[in-house]
């Protein structure tokens, strides 16, 4: 009896050792989920388990469950089987393992599969890069995942990877809620660096929040930097539209615009402007307080994750965000001569960290000066020495705080600085701050002065032309119809020896410099003797001294002359001569000699 029991015991121990040895030789199965292990709530997912070729049955176990979750027998392919979940929910989230049964026994369980459900009941966290998402090649960066939901842990996942890249416990955030800081680096341009993060509570580790917005790190290199331009002034106000243009003579395929401290990178495809140039336009919409800051742009190629060197920065300053209004004054005065020293003084009764001085139309950014407290006010003195014509223009000043340097106060009243007089510069003014551009060295307001002067000169010239035209018409009306042009002044004296017919001796000769008669005709009878004037000719000196003159006074009373004119013609002649009295007083007082027939004076 004792021998029989001993034999059976040894046989059982031998069989047990044999079964354990056979079980240990079976390969461990593999478990995975398709399309992924992190699934949104309500979607379908399939869990796969793969083992050997002689598998008779597969089992799926869920961690925390006492019973087997599911059993499946292989049908088409004996080396794997699937466990479908048609509607993903919280009850399906957890850790799964699988094993299989072979002719030699059950295999060891697989490595765990963590199946996660993403629920919209928990708001998404925020993801940002510190200090900036722009990282130089080979540099390091810190990625911050934060939320006000008070999550216990955060998960950071890199695009293209199925498993979580990093998992960290949370810590209190500076402004409330919780956060996790993930160190990333060194960053190289050969890999993609796009991330998302999730948050969850420790009692439901497989129920995650909605993922954050994606964050892509921009790896900058040393290739040619583009140029960043803005269509507005650097000082803008709410309601304006903010637009940036990134341009380069390098044929880049894509462009990125970054704001210092912002987590994301707006991007646009290349827009070909002309051969050899590329560029993109970034429309940021209506100006908001969040738009204030420092911007740079980059260019890149499609076949590389490396970006160009950054452009020169452009600051966007948002005016009107602080309630106070500073004052601006100038010493010694608003009108100065070139070469003088000028000081623009910006003051405020409110607390100001930095004052900014802006010139209207200037391409350069505003000047900045730390404020100083004097005589109960905060102030800053902007000195210009020596002043040139390029400094002329309209100025305003603003104030800003140390915590938000890109948000400004209300603008001061404009101050007009006029630089008058000849420039003392030895040559053309050099380009620098406050230069208004070529052709406007004296400022834009001298153009208004020149335009006003030209308008006044035109009006005066037009009035002069109208006056001359009216006077000319009066002179034409004063001419006797059919009369020839007057003879030169020296013809007024005739010698008695000059031959003349008898009819000429009986006629009246009048030689006048100007045919316009004057008022106040004085007759100076110079009686000539027969020796001096054998012809009997009488000379009369006519002095024009504002007297009325009628041609009829010098006519001969001979019957022949009276017969030539009838009464109607004489009346018309008198009416015409009366019109000439208007302009008679303005004619020069020349002396006119008239040769009168002696018969006409008798």
């Amino acid at each position: 009896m004792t021998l029989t029991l001993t034999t059976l015991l040894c046989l059982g121990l031998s069989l047990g050792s044999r079964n354990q040895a056979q079980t240990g030789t079976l390969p461990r199965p593999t478990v995975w989920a398709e399309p992924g292990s992190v699934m949104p709530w309500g979607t379908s997912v399939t869990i796969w388990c793969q083992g050997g070729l002689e598998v008779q049955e597969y089992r799926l176990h869920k961690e925390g469950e006492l019973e087997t979750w599911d059993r499946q027998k292989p049908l088409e392919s004996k080396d794997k089987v699937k466990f479908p979940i048609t509607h993903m929910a919280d009850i399906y989230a957890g850790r799964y393992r699988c094993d299989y049964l072979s002719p030699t026994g059950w295999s060891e369980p697989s490595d765990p599969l963590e199946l996660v459900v993403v629920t919209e009941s928990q708001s998404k966290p925020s993801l940002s890069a510190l200090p900036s998402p722009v990282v130089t090649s080979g540099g390091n960066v810190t990625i911050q995942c934060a939320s006000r939901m008070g999550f216990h842990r955060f998960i950071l996942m890199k695009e293209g990877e199925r498993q979580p890249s990093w998992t960290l416990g949370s810590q209190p955030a500076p402004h409330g809620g919780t956060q996790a800081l993930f160190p990333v680096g060194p960053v190289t341009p050969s890999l993609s660096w796009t991330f998302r993060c999730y948050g969850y509570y420790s009692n439901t580790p497989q129920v995650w929040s909605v993922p954050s917005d994606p964050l892509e790190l921009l790896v900058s290199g040393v290739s040619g930097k583009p140029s960043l331009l803005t269509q507005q002034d650097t000082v803008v106000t709410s309601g304006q539209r903010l637009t940036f243009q990134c341009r380069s003579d390098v044929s880049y395929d894509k462009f990125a615009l970054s704001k210092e401290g912002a987590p994301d990178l707006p991007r646009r495809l290349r827009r070909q402007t002309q051969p050899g140039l590329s560029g993109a336009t970034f429309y940021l919409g209506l100006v908001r307080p969040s738009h204030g800051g420092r911007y740079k742009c980059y260019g890149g190629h499609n076949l590389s994750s490396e970006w160009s060197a950054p452009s020169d920065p452009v600051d966007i300053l948002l005016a009107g965000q602080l309630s106070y209004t500073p004052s601006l004054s100038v010493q010694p005065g608003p009108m100065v001569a070139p070469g003088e020293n000028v000081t623009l003084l910006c003051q405020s009764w409110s607390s100001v960290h930095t004052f900014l001085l802006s010139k209207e139309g200037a391409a350069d950014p505003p000047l900045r000066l730390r404020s100083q407290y004097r005589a109960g006010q905060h102030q800053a003195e902007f000195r210009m020495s020596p002043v040139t014509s390029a400094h002329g223009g309209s100025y305003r000043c603003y104030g800003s705080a140390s915590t938000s340097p890109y948000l400004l106060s209300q603008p001061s009243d404009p101050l007009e600085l006029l630089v008058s007089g000849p420039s003392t510069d030895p040559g053309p003014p050099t380009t620098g701050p406050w230069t208004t551009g070529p052709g406007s060295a004296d400022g834009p307001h001298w153009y208004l002065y020149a335009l006003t002067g030209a308008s006044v000169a035109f009006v005066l010239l037009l009035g002069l032309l109208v006056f001359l035209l009216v006077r000319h018409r009066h002179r034409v009306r004063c001419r006797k119809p059919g009369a020839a042009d007057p003879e030169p002044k020296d013809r007024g004296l005739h010698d008695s020896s000059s031959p003349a017919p008898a009819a000429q001796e009986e006629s009246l000769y009048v030689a006048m410099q100007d045919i316009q008669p004057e008022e106040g005709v004085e007759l100076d009878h110079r009686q000539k003797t027969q020796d001096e004037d054998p012809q009997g000719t009488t000379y009369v000196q006519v002095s024009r001294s504002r007297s009325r003159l009628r041609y009829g006074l010098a006519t001969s009373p001979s019957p022949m002359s009276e017969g030539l004119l009838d009464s109607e013609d004489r009346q018309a002649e008198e009416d015409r001569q009366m019109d000439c009295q208007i302009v008679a007083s303005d004619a020069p007082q020349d002396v006119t000699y008239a040769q009168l027939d002696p018969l006409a004076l008798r």
Side-chain angles (χ1 to χ4, degrees):
M1 185 67 179
T2 302
L3 180 61
T4 303
L5 291 175
T6 303
T7 303
L8 292 176
L9 180 59
C10 292
L11 180 62
L13 293 173
S14 177
L15 290 175
S17 300
R18 181 180 177 183
N19 288 338
Q20 290 178 0
Q22 290 177 351
T23 302
T25 59
L26 295 176
R28 185 188 298 267
T30 305
V31 64
W32 73 93
E34 288 184 356
S37 60
V38 180
M39 300 299 299
W41 194 90
T43 59
S44 61
V45 63
T46 300
I47 299 176
W48 288 89
C49 186
Q50 185 176 17
L53 294 176
E54 298 181 356
V55 176
Q56 299 174 359
E57 185 182 11
Y58 287 93
R59 296 182 303 185
L60 183 64
H61 307 276
K62 183 182 179 185
E63 190 176 282
E65 299 287 341
L66 297 178
E67 298 182 358
T68 300
W69 182 264
D70 198 2
R71 294 174 180 266
Q72 292 286 346
K73 290 185 178 181
L75 297 177
E76 300 175 358
S77 176
K78 294 185 178 181
D79 65 335
K80 62 181 178 180
V81 71
K82 61 182 179 179
F83 300 92
I85 300 175
T86 57
H87 189 88
M88 188 65 186
D90 296 0
I91 60 174
Y92 298 114
R95 294 167 68 93
Y96 290 87
R97 297 174 186 265
C98 74
D99 58 6
Y100 62 87
L101 177 64
S102 69
T104 58
W106 288 97
S107 69
E108 292 186 2
S110 66
D111 293 331
L113 166 69
E114 190 165 13
L115 187 62
V116 176
V117 61
V118 176
T119 175
E120 295 183 356
S121 62
Q122 300 174 1
S123 60
K124 64 182 179 181
S126 62
L127 189 61
S128 59
L130 303 176
S132 170
V134 181
V135 188
T136 58
S137 180
N140 299 318
V141 67
T142 299
I143 297 181
Q144 178 192 48
C145 188
S147 174
R148 294 188 175 273
M149 297 292 294
F151 294 123
H152 298 150
R153 297 185 71 84
F154 290 95
I155 303 99
L156 183 67
M157 296 191 69
K158 188 177 181 182
E159 189 176 89
E161 298 181 0
R162 293 186 174 182
Q163 298 299 324
S165 302
W166 297 273
T167 302
L168 286 178
S170 64
Q171 61 185 24
H175 303 290
T178 55
Q179 67 175 10
L181 302 176
F182 299 91
V184 177
V187 177
T188 60
S190 59
L191 300 176
S192 174
W193 300 91
T194 303
F195 298 90
R196 293 176 184 267
C197 79
Y198 304 80
Y200 68 86
Y201 299 104
S202 57
N203 58 336
T204 55
Q206 286 82 35
V207 180
W208 292 2
S209 69
V210 177
S212 67
D213 294 331
L215 169 68
E216 181 179 1
L217 299 181
L218 189 151
V219 185
S220 64
V222 295
S223 58
K225 66 179 182 180
S227 299
L228 183 61
L229 307 173
T230 177
Q231 297 181 354
Q232 300 78 24
D233 292 335
T234 56
V235 180
V236 297
T237 57
S238 297
Q240 290 183 256
R241 293 193 176 274
L242 185 58
T243 304
F244 286 98
Q245 291 182 342
C246 192
R247 296 286 183 264
S248 177
D249 54 0
V250 179
S251 185
Y252 289 121
D253 298 315
K254 54 187 177 181
F255 289 88
L257 177 70
S258 75
K259 179 192 170 188
E260 192 174 276
D264 54 350
L265 292 172
R267 186 171 306 172
R268 299 291 184 273
L269 295 177
R270 179 180 69 175
R271 179 180 298 173
Q272 192 75 21
T273 56
Q274 54 183 320
L277 295 177
S278 59
T281 302
F282 298 89
Y283 300 98
L284 302 189
L286 296 179
V287 172
R288 303 187 302 273
S290 59
H291 285 142
R294 174 165 292 181
Y295 292 82
K296 297 179 182 179
C297 78
Y298 305 81
H301 299 283
N302 289 332
L303 301 180
S304 174
S305 59
E306 183 177 12
W307 293 78
S308 69
S311 67
D312 294 332
V314 172
D315 291 343
I316 295 300
L317 306 172
L318 191 58
Q321 299 303 304
L322 304 180
S323 59
Y324 63 88
T325 302
S327 62
L328 183 61
S329 59
V330 60
Q331 298 174 355
M335 182 173 292
V336 295
E340 293 188 25
N341 298 329
V342 172
T343 299
L344 297 179
L345 180 62
C346 193
Q347 295 176 307
S348 174
W349 295 104
S350 302
S351 178
V352 180
H353 181 266
T354 303
F355 283 104
L356 297 90
L357 182 66
S358 173
K359 181 184 178 185
E360 183 178 337
D364 300 290
L367 299 179
R368 292 175 177 264
L369 279 181
R370 286 287 299 272
S371 68
Q372 297 180 352
Y373 188 75
R374 294 179 181 175
Q377 293 191 78
H378 294 266
Q379 65 180 29
E381 296 180 351
F382 296 88
R383 293 183 172 87
M384 302 178 186
S385 176
V387 169
T388 65
S389 57
H391 289 97
S394 181
Y395 292 85
R396 294 177 183 267
C397 79
Y398 306 82
S400 68
S402 58
T403 56
S404 53
Y406 300 102
L407 302 182
L408 308 183
S409 68
Q410 303 289 337
S412 68
D413 292 334
L415 187 146
E416 197 75 22
L417 182 63
L418 300 178
V419 182
S420 60
S423 176
T424 58
D425 296 341
T430 58
T431 302
W434 317 125
T435 301
T436 56
S440 60
D442 293 335
H445 303 277
W446 293 103
Y447 172 77
L448 299 178
Y449 301 153
L451 182 60
T452 303
S455 302
V456 173
F458 175 76
V459 172
L460 294 177
L461 180 60
L462 182 61
L464 180 61
L465 291 176
V466 172
F467 173 75
L468 294 177
L469 180 60
V470 171
R471 183 174 180 180
H472 176 70
R473 288 183 175 179
H474 279 289
R475 288 183 176 181
V476 171
R477 291 179 59 185
C478 292
R479 290 179 180 271
K480 186 176 181 178
D485 293 339
E487 295 293 333
K489 184 182 295 185
D490 57 359
R491 191 187 165 184
L493 184 62
H494 291 270
D495 189 81
S496 61
S497 60
S498 55
Q504 184 175 1
E505 293 180 356
E506 297 291 334
S507 64
L508 176 65
Y509 294 93
V510 179
M512 302 178 66
Q513 180 67 23
D514 192 336
I515 64 172
Q516 297 184 41
E518 298 288 342
E519 295 181 359
V521 178
E522 297 179 2
L523 299 181
D524 184 9
H525 295 275
R526 298 179 180 179
Q527 184 67 33
K528 303 295 181 177
T529 60
Q530 293 296 327
D531 297 335
E532 295 175 351
D533 190 4
Q535 298 288 338
T537 303
T538 301
Y539 294 90
V540 178
Q541 180 180 357
V542 181
S543 176
R544 304 180 183 182
S545 58
R546 306 186 59 86
S547 61
R548 298 181 61 184
L549 175 64
R550 292 176 179 263
Y551 286 96
L553 298 175
T555 56
S556 174
S558 63
M560 181 178 296
S561 299
E562 294 177 358
L564 295 176
L565 296 175
D566 56 13
S567 62
E568 183 178 353
D569 291 340
R570 284 196 304 269
Q571 183 65 34
E573 181 70 13
E574 290 179 359
D575 293 340
R576 186 181 64 84
Q577 293 300 328
M578 288 293 294
D579 294 337
C580 298
Q581 296 177 8
I582 300 175
V583 297
S585 60
D586 297 333
Q589 298 185 10
D590 295 338
V591 177
T592 303
Y593 292 94
Q595 183 178 2
L596 304 178
D597 194 305
L599 297 178
L601 300 176
R602 293 175 184 174

